């Protein structure tokens, strides 16, 4: 088992791993093999040698995942140069590929992800943050760049990441245990313990069980500070003395995975699996540059709990000589988060300075009419459920004409709850029935997908293959519930914000009229349990139904492959991916439509020097039509619009060189040039003229898309050699990424500042003998403050940008045993 720490340490070690792993290294490798000489992937729903698959793929094998000490999603996502991400803390990460990023994604009421994530055969893509599956005893991770909408569907618009677990084996009993302890500079002590057992029960039944515990050390300090609110002098001043703490952003992760493989006969296998994980994190994981290095000032507690369980079933068999596969899963994810929202109060106090700040503009008062502390904190929960089912059939792989076809169904729902609390707020000024709540979001979201897909390949000649595929899709997405302020039964002020339009005022009465237009009307019962009434719905036939958007369409993939010999493959691909549309909560904003990505790609894969050198590369151009664009609009309220078109040009390459039997060098890099083709308007305008009342150009044509650096690359050198009864190794990893914009909108990007470029270096040295291993490592050896993301906590909070940085220099030791 590996014991590693802080999610940030994981980040760096992951970067180091990225280098080694980002070369095309992924395979079901023999246990006694030192190198990944042949890498088998299932990216096209068949087992194939990586070098024979005409897709840009990078991967991490079991050996590379172990060598690079990868333990979570944030680790390995940063190891792949075509992958970028936005994150604020563990479990809250939105992943992008090939520059297909408009920023602002990840809100639980926002756009669906553009990158699909699979655990074995089942999709685990979720709204509001990538499922942070612990990485241990994993066979490989496959990263498929470019649209994968034919075989993988809606949320694979820009690419797909697949986590493939090791399966139970009847070959014999085996197990392993790995541990790690580490120390973070300017931080605490962390560690990790992992274990696995594979136990044959009979000649046809085997059980594999995996367990893990990890504690990530903190390294961000919550330091003493004050906030003063208008009017000054005479206004309210607060401090955070009770919450001052060093290294307050620690985390704890524990869980397990079990799989039972049952061979019914020589042709049919049933594999049920179950996964459980619980992640608890405290504090804030970004630093505030206005406060200091690795420092923040938080005035209410910050904590997050992320618990999920997945039960899955895979059935594989043959009908004649055709392979039949069924894959079904049920995922249940619950999150709880409490967050300090003082930044909002500070920003809006300044915004309303001409009216005397919040004290003069809002009505933040107690029951006696006295001004109260205007600070807020947020209590939020999400309950996410997903049911997915896929049935597919594949013809024999060795035939000249081959086909894969199937049916897919998915239903995912999310119960969204966010309570914005101002302690002491008068009940009459609060959301009705919730004293102290200034704003409430309580909604239920349902996204349903149906698809029929197929892909066929025909060998025109022994060296030329034509592949064509398509996917007919249908989506049906809905949203219902409540958002907004309360409504004072006594009349005025209407609520703590003085709003006469938003919240209970916009709820439906029994006549179908809104309460603000029918003040004496009777409110219909709330459609979602914890809310006072319903203002996000459609009134139909005397009752409320969810707001819905639905559509159907077709995506395609066409590929021509030329393989002149066993060591060279070239290909050309024309493919298309999509992302479904959805509902905007604000009634005055129209639903957003699906956006589409068309990809034109040329690639080459080579195996040279008797297999000691592998070099793969791809060049592409992508057209992103009317991309979905999420941002915090008026009153920090999330809006999603269809923006302009964008064009993305890029090159990605990786190389793996085995110079000698002990010396290996791997490197991977990407260059991404992603820009808007039309002006991005402040108010949605399909004509891109950005004229009309209140409209303006938020980003002119030619503006670079955010988040993704223009250059991202890494390289690893590893040397291993026999010493006495075992083998010693030295390893070094360097990772570099150029700067990137934090927001596509020019003014907001300027306020937040650029995500600065960075270079990190990791070192490791270890010894393996018999069934044991020991390693010392130094991650982020030069203590680089690599900036991973920049963001603000509200729409008006850009003056207080938060910077997510890599974990500081971390030194540690690992010990492992196999039995």
């Amino acid at each position: 088992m590996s014991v590693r720490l802080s999610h940030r340490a994981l980040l760096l070690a992951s970067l180091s791993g990225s280098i080694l792993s980002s070369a095309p290294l992924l395979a079901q490798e023999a246990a006694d093999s030192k190198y990944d000489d042949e890498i088998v992937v299932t990216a096209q729903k068949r087992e194939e040698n990586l070098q024979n698959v005409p897709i840009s793929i990078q991967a991490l094998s079991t050996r590379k995942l172990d060598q690079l000490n990868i333990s979570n999603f944030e680790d390995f996502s940063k190891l792949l140069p075509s992958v970028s991400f936005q994150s604020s803390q563990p479990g809250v990460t939105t992943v992008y590929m090939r520059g297909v990023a408009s920023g602002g994604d990840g809100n639980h009421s926002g756009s669906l992800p553009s990158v699909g994530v699979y655990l074995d055969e089942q999709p685990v893509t979720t709204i509001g943050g990538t499922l942070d599956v612990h990485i241990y005893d994993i066979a490989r991770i496959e990263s498929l760049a470019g649209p994968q909408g034919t075989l993988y569907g809606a949320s694979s618009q820009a690419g797909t990441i697949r986590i493939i677990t090791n399966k139970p084996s009847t070959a014999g009993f085996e197990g392993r245990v790995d541990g790690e302890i580490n120390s973070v500079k300017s931080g605490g002590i962390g560690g990790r313990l992992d274990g696995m057992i594979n136990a044959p029960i009979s000649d046809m039944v085997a059980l594999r069980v995996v367990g893990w515990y990890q504690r990530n050390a903190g390294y961000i300090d919550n330091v003493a500070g004050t906030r003063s609110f208008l009017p000054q002098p005479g206004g309210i001043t607060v401090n955070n003395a009770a919450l001052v703490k060093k290294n307050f952003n620690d985390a704890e992760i524990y869980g397990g995975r079990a799989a039972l493989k049952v061979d019914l006969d020589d042709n049919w296998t049933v594999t049920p699996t179950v996964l459980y994980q619980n992640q608890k994190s405290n504090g804030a994981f970004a630093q505030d540059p206005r406060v200091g290095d690795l420092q923040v000032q938080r005035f209410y507690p910050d904590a997050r709990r992320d618990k999920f369980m997945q039960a899955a079933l895979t059935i594989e068999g043959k009908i004649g000589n055709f392979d039949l596969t069924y894959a079904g899963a049920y995922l249940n994810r619950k999150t709880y988060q409490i967050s300090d929202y003082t930044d909002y109060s500070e920003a809006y106090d300044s915004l309303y300075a001409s009216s005397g700040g919040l004290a003069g503009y809002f009505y933040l008062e107690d029951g006696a009419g006295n001004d109260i502390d205007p600070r807020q904190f947020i209590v939020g929960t999400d309950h996410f459920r997903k049911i997915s089912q896929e049935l597919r059939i594949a013809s024999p792989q060795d035939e000249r004409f081959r086909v894969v076809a199937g049916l897919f169904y998915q239903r995912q729902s999310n119960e969204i709850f966010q309570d914005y609390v101002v302690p002491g707020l008068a009940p009459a000024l609060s959301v009705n029935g919730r004293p102290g709540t200034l704003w409430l979001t309580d909604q239920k979201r349902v996204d349903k997908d149906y698809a029929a897909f197929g892909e066929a390949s025909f060998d025109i000649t022994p060296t030329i293959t034509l592949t064509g595929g398509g996917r007919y899709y249908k989506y049906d997405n809905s949203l219902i519930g409540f958002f907004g302020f309360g409504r004072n039964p006594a009349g005025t002020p209407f609520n703590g914000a003085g709003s006469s339009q938003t919240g209970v005022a916009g709820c439906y009465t029994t006549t179908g009229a809104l309460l603000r237009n029918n003040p004496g009307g009777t409110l219909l019962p709330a459609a979602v349990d914890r809310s006072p009434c319903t203002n996000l719905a459609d009134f139909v036939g005397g009752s409320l139904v969810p707001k819905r958007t639905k559509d159907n369409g077709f995506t395609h993939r066409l590929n021509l492959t030329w393989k002149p010999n066993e060591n060279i493959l070239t290909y050309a691909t024309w493919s298309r991916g999509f992302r479904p549309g959805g509902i905007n909560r604000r009634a005055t904003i129209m639903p957003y439509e699906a956006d589409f990505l068309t990809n034109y790609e040329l690639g080459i894969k080579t195996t040279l020097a008797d297999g000691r050198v592998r070099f793969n590369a791809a060049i592409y151009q992508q057209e992103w039509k009317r991309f979905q664009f999420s941002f915090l609009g008026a009153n920090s309220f999330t809006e999603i619009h269809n923006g302009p078109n964008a064009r993305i040009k890029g090159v990605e390459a990786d190389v793996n060189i085995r110079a000698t039997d002990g010396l290996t060098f791997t490197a991977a890099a990407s260059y991404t040039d992603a820009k808007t083709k039309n002006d991005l308007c402040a108010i949605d305008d399909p004509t891109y003229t950005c004229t009309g009342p209140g409209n303006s150009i938020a980003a002119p044509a030619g503006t670079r898309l955010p988040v993704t650096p223009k250059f991202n690359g890494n390289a690893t050198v590893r040397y291993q050699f026999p010493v006495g009864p075992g083998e010693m190794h030295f390893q070094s990893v360097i990772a570099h990424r150029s700067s990137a914009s934090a927001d596509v909108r020019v003014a907001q990007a300027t306020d937040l500042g650029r995500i600065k470029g960075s270079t990190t270096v990791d070192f490791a040295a270890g010894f393996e003998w018999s069934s044991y291993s020991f390693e010392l490592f130094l991650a982020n050896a030069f203590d680089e403050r690599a900036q991973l993301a920049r963001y603000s906590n509200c729409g008006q909070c850009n003056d207080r940008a938060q910077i997510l940085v890599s974990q500081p220099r971390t030194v540690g030791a690992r010990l492992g045993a196999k039995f």
Side-chain angles (χ1 to χ4, degrees):
M1 298 192 176
S2 283
V3 164
R4 195 166 15 126
L5 257 213
S6 164
H7 115 128
R8 231 40 63 90
L10 297 173
L11 281 179
L12 245 212
S14 89
L15 281 175
S16 109
S18 135
I19 299 171
L20 261 172
S21 59
S22 70
L25 314 166
L26 75 272
Q28 293 271 49
E29 56 189 24
D32 58 351
S33 173
K34 294 182 181 179
Y35 310 102
D36 298 324
D37 289 331
E38 182 176 337
I39 300 169
V40 177
V41 297
T42 52
Q44 298 189 118
K45 308 281 188 176
R46 302 173 179 271
E47 290 191 354
E48 300 171 281
N49 187 320
L50 172 67
Q51 297 301 94
N52 295 331
V53 179
I55 298 175
S56 180
I57 307 177
Q58 291 181 316
L60 311 173
S61 68
T62 299
R63 180 173 294 276
K64 298 310 172 186
L65 291 169
D66 288 346
Q67 289 176 347
L68 299 168
N69 199 31
I70 307 306
S71 71
N72 64 16
F73 191 92
E74 197 163 345
D75 279 350
F76 73 74
S77 68
K78 292 181 304 184
L79 301 180
L80 308 169
S82 294
V83 173
S84 55
F85 65 93
Q86 284 182 310
S87 182
S88 59
Q89 64 183 91
V92 187
T93 300
T94 302
V95 181
Y96 305 103
M97 296 184 77
R98 282 188 172 178
V100 182
S102 59
D105 298 308
N107 185 280
H108 44 210
S109 297
S111 299
L112 287 162
S114 63
V115 174
V117 180
Y118 278 67
L119 180 63
D120 291 321
E121 296 286 347
Q122 291 81 14
V124 292
T125 314
T126 62
I127 307 161
T130 299
L131 204 66
D132 201 4
V133 178
H134 184 82
I135 303 302
Y136 184 74
D137 193 42
I138 298 298
R140 62 186 182 273
I141 295 174
E142 303 174 6
S143 175
L144 288 58
Q148 307 296 324
T150 302
L151 294 180
Y152 293 98
S155 285
S156 292
Q157 177 190 44
T160 301
I161 294 174
R162 306 181 68 228
I163 305 169
I164 311 298
T165 62
N166 284 315
K167 303 302 185 292
S169 171
T170 57
F173 180 88
E174 63 172 323
R176 61 180 291 198
V177 60
D178 297 277
E180 178 186 305
I181 188 167
N182 60 55
S183 175
V184 180
K185 182 180 182 293
S186 305
I189 303 295
R192 196 174 100 196
L193 186 67
D194 301 309
M196 176 278 293
I197 290 178
N198 181 87
I201 298 174
S202 70
D203 291 342
M204 302 181 72
V205 181
L207 175 69
R208 196 177 191 100
V209 178
V210 182
W212 57 85
Y213 173 82
Q214 178 172 325
R215 186 183 184 282
N216 294 341
Y219 50 88
I220 299 290
D221 298 337
N222 192 28
V223 300
T226 61
R227 295 288 185 271
S228 296
F229 298 94
L230 296 173
Q232 290 296 330
I236 294 173
T237 296
V238 298
N239 66 67
N240 65 344
L243 296 173
V244 170
K245 185 179 180 180
K246 290 182 65 66
N247 310 325
F248 85 136
N249 64 320
D250 55 7
E252 184 181 52
I253 305 102
Y254 57 89
R257 187 176 71 242
L260 182 70
K261 181 181 179 183
V262 181
D263 295 325
L264 302 178
D265 56 28
D266 291 341
N267 293 324
W268 288 88
T269 299
V270 177
T271 308
T273 63
V274 63
L275 165 72
Y276 172 84
Q277 182 170 302
N278 195 337
Q279 179 168 297
K280 303 177 181 180
S281 56
N282 301 304
F285 286 77
Q287 66 181 25
D288 184 343
R290 292 177 55 173
V291 178
D293 181 45
L294 301 179
Q295 293 181 339
V296 294
Q297 290 175 344
R298 306 290 281 183
F299 292 80
Y300 280 114
D302 293 276
R304 178 178 169 84
R305 306 291 181 261
D306 188 351
K307 179 172 64 177
F308 55 84
M309 182 278 294
Q310 185 195 54
L313 176 66
T314 302
I315 302 174
E316 300 169 289
K318 285 187 175 293
I319 297 180
N321 61 351
F322 280 67
D323 294 322
L324 185 72
T325 301
Y326 165 79
Y330 171 73
L331 173 66
N332 190 325
R333 182 185 191 185
K334 295 181 179 180
T335 67
Y336 166 87
Q337 185 162 347
I338 182 169
S339 306
D340 179 29
Y341 207 41
T342 297
D343 285 2
Y344 175 95
S345 302
E346 179 187 39
Y348 278 84
D349 192 57
S350 175
L351 182 67
Y352 299 134
S354 61
S355 300
L358 290 175
Y361 194 86
F362 274 31
Y363 299 89
L364 302 180
E365 303 168 352
D366 61 19
N370 302 308
D371 288 342
I372 60 173
D373 178 354
R375 291 175 300 145
Q376 300 180 40
F377 64 89
I378 307 171
V379 177
T381 64
D382 285 274
H383 189 180
F384 182 91
R385 298 182 179 92
K386 179 197 286 275
I387 297 174
S388 63
Q389 298 189 74
E390 179 173 304
L391 181 67
R392 68 174 185 270
I393 191 167
S395 65
Q397 189 171 345
D398 56 359
E399 297 292 334
R400 186 179 182 186
F401 178 77
R402 306 172 295 281
V403 64
V404 176
L407 300 171
F408 177 80
Y409 167 75
Q410 175 177 274
R411 183 186 189 274
Q412 47 189 335
S413 65
N414 192 13
E415 296 173 10
I416 304 163
F417 179 84
Q418 282 197 316
D419 187 351
Y420 293 73
V421 180
V422 179
L425 184 64
L429 302 176
S430 304
V431 172
N432 302 64
R434 304 191 68 89
T437 295
L438 177 64
W439 174 287
L440 180 69
T441 298
D442 190 14
Q443 301 166 350
K444 183 172 183 179
R445 172 175 180 166
V446 177
D447 297 272
K448 293 186 285 188
D449 297 276
Y450 312 81
F453 62 89
E455 192 166 274
S457 298
F458 178 68
D459 297 330
I460 301 172
T461 72
T463 61
I464 300 176
T465 301
L466 179 66
T467 299
R471 187 182 189 98
Y472 172 80
Y473 66 83
K474 178 181 179 180
Y475 66 83
D476 184 349
N477 300 339
S478 64
L479 190 62
I480 190 170
F482 174 85
F483 64 94
F485 304 108
R487 182 79 166 185
N488 188 347
T492 58
F494 296 107
N495 42 60
S499 173
S500 62
Q501 300 294 309
T502 304
V504 174
C507 283
Y508 286 94
T509 62
T510 53
T511 65
L514 305 183
L515 182 63
R516 62 175 174 257
N517 300 324
N518 183 21
T522 302
L523 290 171
L524 284 168
V528 182
D529 290 342
R530 292 177 288 184
S531 55
C533 52
T534 302
N535 57 11
L536 179 62
D538 287 326
F539 184 82
V540 179
S543 60
L544 299 177
V545 298
K547 284 187 171 292
R548 297 174 65 190
T549 181
K550 54 184 180 178
D551 201 358
N552 58 72
F554 183 82
T555 60
H556 67 267
R557 176 175 177 264
L558 188 65
N559 174 274
L560 184 65
T561 301
W562 178 46
K563 190 173 175 60
N565 58 54
E566 287 300 313
N567 298 320
I568 299 176
L569 178 145
T570 63
Y571 65 89
T573 297
W574 172 41
S575 58
R576 195 180 193 220
F578 83 102
R579 180 169 49 167
I583 302 296
N584 267 298
R585 292 182 291 169
R586 198 186 294 273
T588 56
I589 303 173
M590 296 295 293
Y592 54 95
E593 300 175 353
D595 59 0
F596 296 88
L597 183 72
T598 302
N599 175 59
Y600 307 93
E601 181 176 336
L602 297 173
I604 185 170
K605 297 190 173 187
T606 62
T607 305
L608 309 171
D610 295 325
R612 302 178 76 90
V613 177
R614 286 199 300 266
F615 175 75
N616 298 341
I619 183 171
Y620 61 87
Q621 178 172 301
Q622 299 182 136
E623 302 291 338
W624 196 9
K625 184 177 180 181
R626 297 277 290 157
F627 61 76
Q628 293 172 16
F629 169 56
S630 302
F631 62 95
L632 293 175
N635 298 317
S636 296
F637 193 88
T638 300
E639 300 179 12
I640 307 98
H641 297 263
N642 287 95
N645 302 325
R647 174 171 292 165
I648 305 166
K649 300 177 182 178
V651 179
E652 52 203 13
D654 55 69
V655 63
N656 180 11
I657 301 173
R658 178 152 53 92
T660 68
D661 284 343
L663 179 63
T664 59
F665 171 79
T666 61
S670 67
Y671 172 83
T672 308
D673 184 19
K675 297 178 180 179
T676 60
K677 293 176 64 177
N678 315 97
D679 294 339
L680 172 65
C681 302
I683 300 174
D684 193 20
D685 182 358
T687 68
Y688 312 120
T689 58
C690 302
T691 57
N695 211 347
S696 62
I697 297 175
T703 299
R704 283 189 58 81
L705 296 180
V707 182
T708 303
K710 184 174 286 190
F711 177 82
N712 191 4
N714 50 62
T716 300
V717 176
R718 183 180 176 92
Y719 181 54
Q720 52 196 64
F721 53 95
V723 174
E727 188 173 72
M728 194 166 189
H729 70 263
F730 295 98
Q731 177 176 280
S732 180
V733 178
I734 183 170
H736 173 77
R737 53 179 288 154
S738 62
S739 66
S741 173
D743 198 296
V744 67
R745 297 166 297 172
V746 174
Q748 286 76 6
T750 301
D751 290 343
L752 289 172
R754 288 187 67 80
I755 303 170
K756 294 181 179 179
S758 60
T759 302
T760 59
V761 181
D762 302 340
F763 297 104
F767 186 70
E768 296 182 24
W769 71 102
S770 183
S771 298
Y772 302 95
S773 63
F774 176 75
E775 184 177 66
L776 298 173
F777 68 90
L778 182 63
N780 194 4
F782 302 107
D783 201 27
E784 174 86 353
R785 292 291 179 269
Q787 296 190 7
L788 308 176
R790 297 178 76 107
Y791 62 92
S792 63
N793 290 318
C794 75
Q796 298 293 329
C797 298
N798 290 345
D799 286 343
R800 194 174 285 277
Q802 308 296 298
I803 306 176
L804 184 70
V805 297
S806 62
Q807 182 168 292
R809 179 166 58 238
T810 302
V811 61
R814 307 180 185 112
L815 181 66
K818 298 179 180 179
F819 52 90

